Amino acid sequence: VMSPSRHIIDAVDRVVDHFRAHSPSDTSRAIVFVSTAEDGIQVVSALESALMGRKPPFYCGSKVAKHLAESRQTAEDCLALWDSRAGRPFIVATPALYSGHHASGVSCAYFIGVPRSLVCFIQGTGRIARGKGERGEAVVLPISNGRRLPPASIPDLIGVSAVREMVGSSTGCI
């Protein structure tokens, strides 16, 4: 968990800097998770600027895509573009990508804003390091604008106490 950023744009700058410093190879990829489609549009724009005009694909559920003002690529097209590795190391995604897509070469998952639950965090981190011998890293970038930063201490943002409770429970599973 990184210290809170003031704005989404600041968080995107930190994502790019971290990825450049920590990606294991030139072919490494990363997922940038956002909570809402509106945040996703801002992140795509900021990443496009940071990546010198290479617009990352934006993956969101079909219900969300129908409500966006601009036309969107289909989910399948977004994933195909990202999987082609055509100079686009990032994909921006809403929680719709938390499960179901298995891609190799994904070294980082960035959460801009705190994930809504421990399950969301676990599912999102499950998208990284899926290939044999791959290692991955999940980074949470809280936004301190008052609506995304829950009233919790920084060390427990991802619910360490909830993990302990789940593991100790006879009905919980991870």
Side-chain angles (χ1 to χ4, degrees), residues 1-2 5-6 10 13 15 18-19 27 30 33 38 50-51 60 88 103-104 110 113 115 123-125 145 148 154 165:
V1 176
M2 292 187 168
S5 296
R6 294 181 66 104
D10 297 334
D13 290 341
V15 164
H18 181 273
F19 185 75
T27 60
F33 286 112
E38 293 78 18
L51 300 172
C60 59
R88 292 176 172 84
S104 63
Y110 297 97
Q123 286 182 322
T125 58
N145 65 3
R148 288 189 192 82
I154 292 292
E165 184 178 319

Side-chain angles (χ1 to χ4, degrees), residues 35 98 111-118 120-122 140 148 150 157-158:
S35 296
Y98 279 164
F111 295 85
I112 295 187
V114 177
R116 292 183 181 170
S117 71
L118 179 60
C120 291
F121 179 77
I122 291 169
V140 178
R148 288 189 192 82
L157 282 175
I158 61 165

Side-chain angles (χ1 to χ4, degrees), residues 35-149:
S35 296
T36 67
E38 293 78 18
D39 290 350
I41 292 168
Q42 289 182 48
V43 170
V44 166
S45 177
L47 277 172
E48 184 177 15
S49 295
L51 300 172
M52 299 180 295
R54 289 176 297 177
K55 186 175 184 177
F58 177 36
Y59 183 98
C60 59
S62 58
K63 288 181 182 178
V64 172
K66 288 178 185 176
H67 296 292
L68 294 175
E70 59 187 79
S71 65
R72 306 250 35 105
Q73 292 176 309
T74 67
E76 294 79 17
D77 290 343
C78 289
L79 293 172
L81 178 61
W82 186 55
D83 285 341
S84 74
R85 301 178 190 222
R88 292 176 172 84
F90 295 100
I91 187 170
V92 178
T94 63
L97 190 61
Y98 279 164
S99 61
H101 183 68
H102 307 296
S104 63
V106 181
S107 61
C108 293
Y110 297 97
F111 295 85
I112 295 187
V114 177
R116 292 183 181 170
S117 71
L118 179 60
V119 171
C120 291
F121 179 77
I122 291 169
Q123 286 182 322
T125 58
R127 303 302 98 217
I128 57 177
R130 296 193 63 94
K132 185 176 181 177
E134 290 181 348
R135 303 184 104 202
E137 184 175 14
V139 179
V140 178
L141 297 110
I143 305 296
S144 63
N145 65 3
R147 73 178 171 96
R148 288 189 192 82
L149 190 60

